[in-house]
Amino acid sequence: MEMAKKGRIGILTGGGDVPGLNPAIRGVTQRALHEGFDVVGIRRGWAGLVELRRDAGANNSECVMPLTAELVDRHAYTGGTFLHSSRTRPSAVPAKDVPEHLRGKYTAEKNDLTDEVLANLEFLGVDYLVPAGGDDTLSYGVELGRRGFPVVALPKTMDNDVPGTDYCMGFGTCVSRTVQLARQVTSSAASHERIVVLEVFGRYAGFTALLPTFAGAAQRCLIPEYEFDIERLAELLVADRNAHPDRLSV
Amino acid sequence: MPAGGEMIFEGGEKDQYGHAKLGGIGQRVSAGIKELAPRFNGGRKIDMISMNLGYLVRSGAPDAVDCIVPTAYGNLAVDLILRGETGRMVALTDGKYGSVPIGEVVATKKVVDVARCYDTERYRPKYDGLEGLPMMVLGGAG
């Protein structure tokens, strides 16, 4: 006898991909299934909820997929997101990106497709939405919440700059990789007694430079929050290089 | 960013959230250091390596922290749903799992606390005063 389901949870991953999203999808899905929910994955971030067709017989495999314990476990320790992602913002969809089946209804230069998103969530039978994303993706989760839809968000960004939490999924691996790559390049730097400059992702917050430097990836770092003097930087890096046993600096 | 300068963008196209793609600061800094280095090195040039680590940093399998925390976050999200506590974002605060109102995401900007975390004379992190800071030391909730 099948137990009555507690409801349906939808999960999506929006914005930039990071390591950690697949473990998060597994974390939600396996626990939710155990607790008596069923779970669907919304594909390609908010795009899956914008592009879904509610016509009988429509093929929505690019927009939604059922999630099972076996499926999420298979992907659990891989990078990126097997649900895929996008930077779609349903409340501001440019005319050229409005799905074809909606173009007769939404004709402005920028279109708010939230009514479609809510109708699609109802069509899918989703009772709760768990979006994983950075501040952009989750800002739309805030809007859905204001429209009364139950949302529980997971903070994700390799920049670690989502407010309200010490830790965003993806940041740890970002730091690990940066340290590893910086250490790797020192053999070439040392061989020719060079100064190395490594550019890392990070839009308005400098955590992706600061924490790897703290961990030993570099002697100096620059962050968006502080205006630097290139002459001072050059003086420091030349001194670092000349004092280093291998005559390099990073 | 450079003193008296501005953020450096690659191309002019913006995404649906209004963000232009940033990039190129590494090459600019490298070129500037290469030009200035002889001044601090007795007139002798120094060769540079300039690399954008880019997608090498965000691709590939998660490390231990990015297996543990996302799994915990996922379970915490289901806990909140079971308790009927929606409109929340799961969070780590001072080393403990919890949640905050989802509106926190848009209430402030989280940036490096320069006074607490960054040595502006030495262009490096601060290494003192760590007692009481959360695990990611310089990347707290702010």
Side-chain angles (χ1 to χ4, degrees), chain B residues 12-99:
Chain B
E13 192 177 343
K14 294 185 180 180
D15 67 18
Q16 291 179 18
Y17 294 90
H19 301 301
K21 193 170 179 184
L22 290 165
I25 183 72
Q27 291 276 24
R28 295 254 303 248
V29 168
S30 179
I33 295 169
K34 185 175 176 120
E35 183 183 334
L36 290 164
R39 195 185 301 178
F40 306 105
N41 196 41
R44 297 182 300 274
K45 290 183 190 174
I46 299 178
D47 282 338
M48 306 292 298
I49 293 176
S50 175
M51 284 177 62
N52 186 338
L53 297 184
Y55 291 93
L56 290 174
V57 172
R58 76 190 314 151
S59 51
D63 69 4
V65 173
D66 280 326
C67 289
I68 293 168
V69 174
T71 301
Y73 275 177
N75 277 271
L76 185 46
V78 178
D79 283 339
L80 290 169
I81 289 170
L82 285 166
R83 297 203 299 261
E85 293 178 29
T86 57
R88 309 286 294 178
M89 181 181 76
V90 304
L92 261 169
T93 308
D94 293 336
K96 294 191 170 61
Y97 289 105
S99 69

Coordinates of all heavy atoms in Angstrom, one line a residue, chain B residues 12-99:
Chain B
G12 N 30.3 44.5 -23.5 CA 29.3 45.4 -22.9 C 28.0 44.7 -22.6 O 27.1 45.2 -21.9
E13 N 27.8 43.4 -23.0 CA 26.5 42.7 -22.8 C 26.3 42.4 -21.4 O 27.2 42.0 -20.6 CB 26.6 41.4 -23.6 CG 25.2 40.7 -23.7 CD 25.3 39.5 -24.6 OE1 26.3 39.3 -25.3 OE2 24.3 38.7 -24.5
K14 N 25.0 42.6 -20.9 CA 24.6 42.4 -19.6 C 23.6 41.2 -19.5 O 22.9 41.0 -20.4 CB 24.0 43.6 -19.0 CG 24.9 44.8 -18.8 CD 24.3 46.0 -18.1 CE 25.3 47.1 -18.0 NZ 24.8 48.3 -17.4
D15 N 23.6 40.5 -18.3 CA 22.7 39.4 -18.2 C 21.3 40.0 -17.7 O 21.2 41.2 -17.6 CB 23.2 38.4 -17.2 CG 23.4 38.8 -15.8 OD1 22.8 39.8 -15.4 OD2 24.1 38.1 -15.0
Q16 N 20.3 39.1 -17.4 CA 19.0 39.6 -17.1 C 18.9 40.3 -15.8 O 17.9 41.0 -15.4 CB 18.0 38.5 -17.2 CG 17.8 38.0 -18.6 CD 16.8 36.8 -18.8 OE1 16.0 36.6 -17.8 NE2 16.8 36.1 -19.9
Y17 N 20.0 40.1 -14.9 CA 20.1 40.8 -13.6 C 20.8 42.1 -13.7 O 21.1 42.7 -12.7 CB 20.7 39.8 -12.6 CG 19.8 38.6 -12.3 CD1 20.0 37.4 -13.0 CD2 18.8 38.7 -11.3 CE1 19.2 36.3 -12.8 CE2 18.0 37.6 -11.1 CZ 18.2 36.4 -11.8 OH 17.4 35.3 -11.5
G18 N 21.3 42.4 -14.9 CA 21.9 43.7 -15.1 C 23.4 43.7 -14.9 O 24.1 44.8 -14.9
H19 N 24.0 42.5 -14.8 CA 25.5 42.4 -14.6 C 26.2 42.3 -15.9 O 25.9 41.4 -16.7 CB 25.8 41.2 -13.7 CG 25.1 41.3 -12.4 ND1 25.3 42.3 -11.5 CD2 24.3 40.4 -11.8 CE1 24.6 42.0 -10.4 NE2 23.9 40.9 -10.6
A20 N 27.2 43.1 -16.1 CA 28.2 42.9 -17.2 C 29.2 42.0 -16.8 O 29.5 41.8 -15.6 CB 28.8 44.3 -17.6
K21 N 29.8 41.3 -17.8 CA 30.9 40.3 -17.5 C 32.2 41.1 -17.1 O 32.7 41.9 -17.9 CB 31.1 39.4 -18.7 CG 31.9 38.2 -18.4 CD 31.8 37.2 -19.5 CE 32.7 36.0 -19.2 NZ 32.7 35.1 -20.3
L22 N 32.7 40.7 -15.9 CA 34.0 41.4 -15.5 C 35.1 40.5 -16.0 O 35.0 39.3 -16.1 CB 34.0 41.5 -14.0 CG 33.0 42.5 -13.4 CD1 32.9 42.2 -11.9 CD2 33.5 43.9 -13.6
G23 N 36.3 41.2 -16.2 CA 37.5 40.4 -16.5 C 38.5 41.3 -17.1 O 38.2 42.3 -17.6
G24 N 39.8 40.8 -17.0 CA 40.9 41.5 -17.6 C 41.8 42.3 -16.6 O 42.8 42.8 -17.0
I25 N 41.4 42.3 -15.3 CA 42.2 43.1 -14.4 C 43.5 42.4 -14.2 O 44.5 43.2 -14.0 CB 41.4 43.1 -13.0 CG1 42.2 44.0 -12.0 CG2 41.2 41.8 -12.4 CD1 42.2 45.4 -12.2
G26 N 43.6 41.1 -14.3 CA 44.9 40.4 -14.2 C 45.9 40.9 -15.2 O 47.1 41.2 -14.8
Q27 N 45.5 41.0 -16.4 CA 46.4 41.4 -17.5 C 46.9 42.8 -17.3 O 48.1 43.2 -17.5 CB 45.7 41.3 -18.9 CG 45.5 39.9 -19.3 CD 46.7 39.3 -20.0 OE1 47.8 39.7 -19.8 NE2 46.4 38.3 -20.9
R28 N 45.9 43.7 -16.8 CA 46.3 45.1 -16.6 C 47.3 45.2 -15.5 O 48.3 46.0 -15.5 CB 45.0 45.9 -16.2 CG 44.0 46.0 -17.4 CD 43.9 47.3 -18.0 NE 43.7 48.4 -17.2 CZ 42.6 49.1 -17.2 NH1 41.6 48.8 -18.0 NH2 42.4 50.1 -16.3
V29 N 47.1 44.5 -14.4 CA 48.0 44.6 -13.2 C 49.3 44.0 -13.6 O 50.4 44.6 -13.3 CB 47.4 43.8 -12.0 CG1 48.4 43.6 -10.9 CG2 46.1 44.5 -11.5
S30 N 49.3 42.9 -14.3 CA 50.6 42.3 -14.8 C 51.4 43.3 -15.6 O 52.6 43.4 -15.4 CB 50.3 41.0 -15.5 OG 51.5 40.4 -16.0
A31 N 50.7 43.9 -16.5 CA 51.4 44.9 -17.4 C 52.0 46.0 -16.6 O 53.1 46.5 -16.8 CB 50.5 45.4 -18.5
G32 N 51.2 46.5 -15.6 CA 51.7 47.6 -14.8 C 52.9 47.2 -14.0 O 53.9 48.0 -13.8
I33 N 52.9 46.0 -13.4 CA 54.0 45.6 -12.6 C 55.2 45.4 -13.4 O 56.4 45.7 -13.1 CB 53.7 44.3 -11.8 CG1 52.6 44.5 -10.8 CG2 54.9 43.7 -11.1 CD1 52.0 43.3 -10.3
K34 N 55.1 44.8 -14.6 CA 56.2 44.6 -15.5 C 56.9 45.9 -15.9 O 58.1 46.0 -15.9 CB 55.7 43.9 -16.8 CG 56.9 43.6 -17.8 CD 56.3 42.8 -19.0 CE 57.5 42.6 -19.9 NZ 57.8 41.2 -20.2
E35 N 56.1 46.9 -16.1 CA 56.6 48.3 -16.4 C 57.3 48.9 -15.2 O 58.4 49.5 -15.4 CB 55.5 49.2 -16.9 CG 55.9 50.5 -17.4 CD 54.7 51.4 -17.7 OE1 53.7 50.9 -18.1 OE2 54.9 52.7 -17.6
L36 N 56.8 48.7 -14.0 CA 57.4 49.4 -12.9 C 58.5 48.6 -12.2 O 59.3 49.2 -11.5 CB 56.2 49.6 -11.8 CG 55.2 50.6 -12.2 CD1 53.9 50.5 -11.4 CD2 55.7 52.0 -12.1
A37 N 58.5 47.3 -12.4 CA 59.5 46.4 -11.6 C 60.9 46.9 -11.7 O 61.6 46.9 -10.6 CB 59.3 45.0 -12.1
P38 N 61.4 47.3 -12.8 CA 62.8 47.8 -12.9 C 63.2 48.9 -11.9 O 64.3 49.0 -11.4 CB 63.0 48.2 -14.3 CG 62.0 47.5 -15.1 CD 60.8 47.3 -14.2
R39 N 62.2 49.7 -11.6 CA 62.4 50.8 -10.7 C 62.8 50.3 -9.3 O 63.5 51.0 -8.5 CB 61.1 51.6 -10.6 CG 61.3 53.0 -10.0 CD 60.0 53.7 -9.8 NE 59.3 53.9 -11.0 CZ 58.1 54.5 -11.1 NH1 57.4 54.9 -10.0 NH2 57.5 54.7 -12.3
F40 N 62.3 49.1 -8.9 CA 62.6 48.5 -7.6 C 63.6 47.4 -7.6 O 63.8 46.7 -6.6 CB 61.3 48.1 -6.9 CG 60.2 49.1 -6.9 CD1 59.1 49.1 -7.8 CD2 60.3 50.2 -6.0 CE1 58.1 50.1 -7.8 CE2 59.3 51.2 -6.0 CZ 58.2 51.1 -6.8
N41 N 64.1 47.2 -8.8 CA 65.0 46.0 -9.0 C 66.3 46.4 -9.7 O 66.9 45.7 -10.5 CB 64.3 45.0 -9.9 CG 64.9 43.6 -9.8 OD1 65.4 43.2 -8.7 ND2 65.0 42.9 -10.9
G42 N 66.8 47.6 -9.3 CA 68.1 48.1 -9.8 C 68.1 48.2 -11.3 O 69.2 48.0 -12.0
G43 N 67.0 48.5 -11.9 CA 67.0 48.8 -13.4 C 66.7 47.5 -14.2 O 66.6 47.5 -15.4
R44 N 66.7 46.3 -13.5 CA 66.6 45.0 -14.2 C 65.1 44.6 -14.4 O 64.3 44.8 -13.5 CB 67.4 43.9 -13.5 CG 68.9 44.2 -13.4 CD 69.5 43.0 -12.7 NE 69.0 42.8 -11.4 CZ 69.5 43.4 -10.3 NH1 70.4 44.3 -10.4 NH2 69.0 43.1 -9.1
K45 N 64.8 44.1 -15.6 CA 63.4 43.7 -15.9 C 63.1 42.4 -15.1 O 64.1 41.6 -14.8 CB 63.2 43.4 -17.4 CG 63.3 44.7 -18.2 CD 63.0 44.3 -19.7 CE 63.2 45.4 -20.6 NZ 63.1 45.0 -22.0
I46 N 61.9 42.2 -14.9 CA 61.4 40.9 -14.3 C 60.3 40.3 -15.3 O 59.4 41.1 -15.6 CB 60.9 41.0 -12.9 CG1 62.0 41.6 -12.0 CG2 60.3 39.7 -12.4 CD1 61.5 41.8 -10.5
D47 N 60.4 39.1 -15.6 CA 59.4 38.4 -16.4 C 58.1 38.1 -15.6 O 58.2 37.9 -14.4 CB 59.9 37.1 -17.0 CG 60.8 37.3 -18.2 OD1 60.7 38.4 -18.8 OD2 61.5 36.4 -18.5
M48 N 57.0 38.1 -16.3 CA 55.7 37.9 -15.6 C 55.0 36.7 -16.1 O 55.2 36.3 -17.3 CB 54.8 39.1 -15.8 CG 55.3 40.5 -15.5 SD 55.6 40.7 -13.8 CE 53.9 40.6 -13.2
I49 N 54.2 36.1 -15.3 CA 53.2 35.1 -15.7 C 51.8 35.7 -15.3 O 51.6 36.1 -14.2 CB 53.3 33.7 -15.0 CG1 54.6 33.0 -15.5 CG2 52.1 32.9 -15.3 CD1 54.8 31.7 -14.8
S50 N 50.9 35.9 -16.3 CA 49.6 36.4 -16.0 C 48.6 35.3 -16.5 O 48.6 34.9 -17.6 CB 49.4 37.7 -16.8 OG 48.0 38.1 -16.6
M51 N 47.8 34.8 -15.5 CA 46.8 33.8 -15.8 C 45.4 34.1 -15.2 O 45.4 34.6 -14.1 CB 47.2 32.4 -15.2 CG 48.3 31.7 -15.9 SD 48.8 30.3 -15.0 CE 47.3 29.3 -15.0
N52 N 44.4 33.8 -16.0 CA 43.0 33.9 -15.5 C 42.6 32.5 -15.1 O 42.5 31.7 -16.0 CB 42.1 34.5 -16.5 CG 40.7 34.8 -15.9 OD1 40.3 34.2 -15.0 ND2 40.0 35.7 -16.6
L53 N 42.5 32.2 -13.9 CA 42.2 30.8 -13.5 C 40.8 30.4 -13.9 O 40.5 29.2 -14.1 CB 42.3 30.6 -12.0 CG 43.7 30.8 -11.4 CD1 43.7 30.5 -9.9 CD2 44.7 30.0 -12.1
G54 N 39.9 31.4 -14.0 CA 38.6 31.1 -14.6 C 37.9 29.9 -14.2 O 37.8 29.5 -13.0
Y55 N 37.4 29.1 -15.2 CA 36.6 28.0 -15.0 C 37.3 26.8 -14.4 O 36.7 25.8 -14.0 CB 35.9 27.6 -16.3 CG 34.9 28.6 -16.7 CD1 35.2 29.7 -17.6 CD2 33.6 28.6 -16.2 CE1 34.3 30.7 -17.9 CE2 32.6 29.6 -16.5 CZ 33.0 30.6 -17.3 OH 32.1 31.6 -17.7
L56 N 38.6 26.8 -14.4 CA 39.4 25.7 -13.7 C 39.0 25.7 -12.2 O 39.1 24.7 -11.6 CB 40.9 25.9 -13.9 CG 41.4 25.7 -15.3 CD1 42.9 26.1 -15.4 CD2 41.2 24.3 -15.7
V57 N 38.7 26.8 -11.7 CA 38.4 26.9 -10.3 C 37.0 26.4 -9.9 O 36.8 25.8 -8.9 CB 38.6 28.4 -9.8 CG1 38.1 28.6 -8.4 CG2 40.0 28.8 -9.9
R58 N 36.0 26.6 -10.9 CA 34.7 26.2 -10.5 C 34.2 24.9 -11.1 O 33.1 24.4 -10.8 CB 33.7 27.3 -11.0 CG 33.4 27.4 -12.4 CD 32.6 28.6 -12.8 NE 31.5 28.9 -11.9 CZ 31.0 30.1 -11.6 NH1 31.6 31.2 -12.2 NH2 30.0 30.2 -10.8
S59 N 35.1 24.3 -11.9 CA 34.7 23.0 -12.4 C 35.3 21.8 -11.6 O 36.1 22.1 -10.8 CB 35.2 22.9 -13.9 OG 36.5 23.2 -14.0
G60 N 34.8 20.6 -11.9 CA 35.3 19.5 -11.2 C 34.6 19.2 -9.9 O 33.7 19.9 -9.5
A61 N 35.0 18.1 -9.3 CA 34.3 17.5 -8.1 C 34.4 18.4 -6.9 O 35.4 19.1 -6.7 CB 34.8 16.1 -7.8
P62 N 33.4 18.4 -6.0 CA 33.5 19.1 -4.8 C 34.5 18.6 -3.8 O 34.7 17.4 -3.8 CB 32.0 19.0 -4.2 CG 31.5 17.8 -4.8 CD 32.1 17.6 -6.2
D63 N 35.1 19.4 -3.0 CA 35.9 19.0 -1.9 C 35.1 18.6 -0.7 O 33.9 18.5 -0.8 CB 37.0 20.0 -1.6 CG 36.4 21.3 -0.9 OD1 35.2 21.3 -0.6 OD2 37.2 22.2 -0.6
A64 N 35.8 18.2 0.4 CA 35.1 17.7 1.6 C 34.0 18.7 2.1 O 32.9 18.3 2.4 CB 36.1 17.3 2.7
V65 N 34.4 20.0 2.2 CA 33.5 20.9 2.8 C 32.3 21.1 1.8 O 31.1 21.2 2.3 CB 34.2 22.3 2.9 CG1 33.2 23.4 3.3 CG2 35.3 22.2 4.0
D66 N 32.5 21.0 0.5 CA 31.4 21.2 -0.4 C 30.7 19.9 -0.7 O 29.8 19.8 -1.5 CB 31.9 21.8 -1.7 CG 32.0 23.3 -1.6 OD1 31.2 23.9 -0.9 OD2 32.9 23.9 -2.2
C67 N 31.0 18.8 0.1 CA 30.1 17.6 0.1 C 29.3 17.7 1.5 O 28.1 17.4 1.5 CB 30.9 16.3 0.1 SG 31.7 16.0 -1.5
I68 N 30.0 18.1 2.5 CA 29.4 18.1 3.8 C 28.3 19.2 4.0 O 27.2 18.9 4.3 CB 30.4 18.2 5.0 CG1 31.4 17.0 5.0 CG2 29.8 18.5 6.3 CD1 32.6 17.2 5.8
V69 N 28.7 20.4 3.7 CA 27.8 21.5 3.9 C 26.6 21.4 3.0 O 25.5 21.6 3.5 CB 28.5 22.9 3.8 CG1 27.6 24.0 3.9 CG2 29.6 23.0 4.9
P70 N 26.7 21.2 1.7 CA 25.5 21.1 0.9 C 24.6 20.0 1.3 O 23.3 20.1 1.3 CB 26.1 20.9 -0.5 CG 27.4 21.5 -0.5 CD 27.9 21.2 0.9
T71 N 25.1 18.9 1.8 CA 24.3 17.8 2.3 C 23.5 18.2 3.5 O 22.3 18.0 3.6 CB 25.1 16.6 2.6 OG1 25.8 16.1 1.4 CG2 24.3 15.4 3.1
A72 N 24.2 18.9 4.4 CA 23.6 19.5 5.6 C 22.5 20.5 5.2 O 21.4 20.5 5.8 CB 24.6 20.1 6.5
Y73 N 22.9 21.4 4.3 CA 21.9 22.4 3.9 C 20.6 21.8 3.3 O 19.5 22.2 3.6 CB 22.5 23.3 2.8 CG 23.4 24.5 3.4 CD1 24.1 25.3 2.5 CD2 23.5 24.7 4.7 CE1 24.8 26.4 2.9 CE2 24.3 25.8 5.2 CZ 24.9 26.6 4.3 OH 25.7 27.7 4.7
G74 N 20.8 20.7 2.5 CA 19.7 20.1 1.9 C 18.8 19.5 3.0 O 17.5 19.6 2.9
N75 N 19.4 18.8 3.9 CA 18.6 18.2 5.0 C 17.9 19.3 5.9 O 16.7 19.1 6.3 CB 19.4 17.3 5.9 CG 19.6 15.9 5.3 OD1 18.8 15.0 5.6 ND2 20.6 15.8 4.5
L76 N 18.6 20.4 6.1 CA 18.0 21.5 6.9 C 16.8 22.1 6.2 O 15.8 22.5 6.8 CB 19.1 22.5 7.1 CG 18.9 23.7 8.0 CD1 18.2 23.3 9.3 CD2 20.2 24.4 8.3
A77 N 16.9 22.2 4.8 CA 15.8 22.7 4.1 C 14.5 21.8 4.3 O 13.4 22.3 4.5 CB 16.1 22.8 2.6
V78 N 14.7 20.5 4.3 CA 13.6 19.6 4.5 C 13.1 19.8 6.0 O 11.8 19.8 6.2 CB 13.9 18.2 4.2 CG1 12.7 17.2 4.4 CG2 14.4 18.1 2.7
D79 N 14.0 19.9 6.9 CA 13.5 20.2 8.3 C 12.6 21.4 8.3 O 11.6 21.4 9.0 CB 14.7 20.5 9.2 CG 15.5 19.2 9.6 OD1 15.0 18.1 9.5 OD2 16.7 19.4 10.0
L80 N 13.0 22.5 7.7 CA 12.2 23.7 7.7 C 10.9 23.5 7.1 O 9.8 23.9 7.6 CB 13.0 24.8 7.0 CG 14.2 25.3 7.7 CD1 15.0 26.2 6.7 CD2 13.9 26.1 8.9
I81 N 10.8 22.7 5.9 CA 9.6 22.4 5.3 C 8.7 21.6 6.2 O 7.5 21.9 6.3 CB 9.8 21.7 3.9 CG1 10.4 22.7 2.9 CG2 8.5 21.1 3.4 CD1 10.9 22.1 1.7
L82 N 9.2 20.6 6.9 CA 8.4 19.8 7.8 C 7.8 20.6 8.9 O 6.7 20.3 9.4 CB 9.3 18.7 8.4 CG 9.7 17.5 7.4 CD1 10.8 16.7 8.0 CD2 8.4 16.7 7.2
R83 N 8.6 21.7 9.3 CA 8.1 22.5 10.4 C 7.2 23.6 9.9 O 6.7 24.5 10.7 CB 9.2 23.1 11.2 CG 10.1 22.1 11.9 CD 10.9 22.7 13.1 NE 11.7 23.8 12.7 CZ 13.0 23.7 12.5 NH1 13.6 22.5 12.6 NH2 13.8 24.7 12.1
G84 N 7.0 23.7 8.6 CA 6.2 24.8 8.0 C 6.9 26.1 8.0 O 6.2 27.2 7.9
E85 N 8.2 26.1 8.1 CA 8.9 27.4 8.2 C 9.5 27.7 6.8 O 10.7 27.4 6.5 CB 10.0 27.3 9.2 CG 9.5 27.2 10.6 CD 10.7 27.0 11.6 OE1 11.8 27.6 11.4 OE2 10.5 26.4 12.7
T86 N 8.7 28.2 6.0 CA 9.2 28.6 4.6 C 9.5 30.1 4.6 O 9.3 30.8 5.6 CB 8.2 28.2 3.6 OG1 6.9 28.8 3.8 CG2 8.0 26.7 3.5
G87 N 9.9 30.6 3.5 CA 10.4 32.0 3.4 C 11.7 32.2 4.1 O 12.0 33.2 4.6
R88 N 12.5 31.1 4.1 CA 13.8 31.1 4.9 C 14.9 30.7 3.9 O 14.7 30.1 2.9 CB 13.7 30.1 6.0 CG 12.6 30.1 7.0 CD 12.7 31.3 7.9 NE 13.8 31.2 8.8 CZ 14.0 32.2 9.7 NH1 13.3 33.3 9.8 NH2 15.1 32.0 10.5
M89 N 16.1 31.0 4.3 CA 17.3 30.6 3.7 C 18.1 29.8 4.7 O 18.4 30.4 5.8 CB 18.1 31.7 3.1 CG 19.4 31.3 2.4 SD 20.4 32.6 1.7 CE 21.2 33.2 3.2
V90 N 18.6 28.6 4.4 CA 19.5 27.9 5.3 C 20.8 28.6 5.4 O 21.2 29.3 4.4 CB 19.7 26.4 4.9 CG1 18.3 25.7 4.7 CG2 20.5 26.3 3.6
A91 N 21.5 28.5 6.5 CA 22.7 29.3 6.7 C 23.6 28.7 7.7 O 23.2 27.8 8.5 CB 22.3 30.7 7.2
L92 N 24.8 29.1 7.7 CA 25.8 28.8 8.7 C 26.2 30.1 9.4 O 26.6 31.1 8.7 CB 27.1 28.2 8.1 CG 27.2 26.7 8.2 CD1 28.4 26.2 7.4 CD2 27.4 26.2 9.6
T93 N 26.0 30.2 10.7 CA 26.3 31.4 11.4 C 27.2 31.0 12.6 O 26.7 30.2 13.5 CB 25.0 32.1 11.9 OG1 24.1 32.2 10.8 CG2 25.3 33.4 12.5
D94 N 28.4 31.6 12.7 CA 29.3 31.3 13.8 C 29.4 29.8 14.0 O 29.5 29.2 15.1 CB 28.8 31.9 15.1 CG 28.9 33.4 15.1 OD1 29.7 33.9 14.3 OD2 28.1 34.1 15.8
G95 N 29.6 29.1 12.9 CA 29.8 27.6 12.9 C 28.6 26.8 13.2 O 28.8 25.5 13.3
K96 N 27.4 27.3 13.3 CA 26.2 26.5 13.6 C 25.2 26.6 12.4 O 25.0 27.7 11.9 CB 25.6 27.0 14.9 CG 26.5 26.7 16.1 CD 25.7 26.9 17.4 CE 26.5 26.4 18.6 NZ 27.8 27.1 18.8
Y97 N 24.6 25.5 12.1 CA 23.6 25.5 11.1 C 22.3 26.1 11.6 O 21.9 26.0 12.8 CB 23.3 24.1 10.7 CG 24.4 23.5 9.8 CD1 25.2 22.5 10.4 CD2 24.6 23.9 8.5 CE1 26.2 21.9 9.6 CE2 25.6 23.3 7.8 CZ 26.4 22.4 8.3 OH 27.4 21.8 7.6
G98 N 21.6 26.9 10.8 CA 20.4 27.5 11.2 C 19.7 28.0 9.9 O 19.9 27.5 8.8
S99 N 18.9 29.1 10.1 CA 18.3 29.7 8.9 C 18.0 31.2 9.2 O 18.0 31.6 10.4 CB 17.0 29.0 8.5 OG 16.0 29.2 9.5

